[in-house]
Amino acid sequence: MMILQDNDPHHMHPDFTYVYVFVVLAVIFAVAIMFAAPKIMSYLDNRYERKKSKEKASETARVDEEKGTK
């Protein structure tokens, strides 16, 4: 069976250089994603909290203005 696979033009043996490059890049990308994902998520979460605090501050300012005019 191995002889038939070696002679088959559709059966390509992997070039180990490409396999090593893929493995190295996969490790680098995985580490980069694991490092960047928490930072991005905390930034987005903080952005949501800042937006909520701005809305709350604007509501408080409106209430204070209404109390001052009456």
Side-chain angles (χ1 to χ4, degrees), residues 5-6 10 13 16 18-19 22 27 31 35-36 62-63 65 68:
Q5 285 183 348
D6 288 338
H10 300 290
H13 290 285
F16 286 108
Y18 293 125
V19 173
F22 175 77
V27 169
V31 169
F35 176 75
R62 269 190 252 130
V63 170
E65 288 174 1

Side-chain angles (χ1 to χ4, degrees), residues 6 9-10 12 22 27 33 36 39 61 64 66:
D6 288 338
H10 300 290
M12 302 290 288
F22 175 77
V27 169
I33 289 171
K39 290 187 178 284
D64 291 341
E66 289 174 2

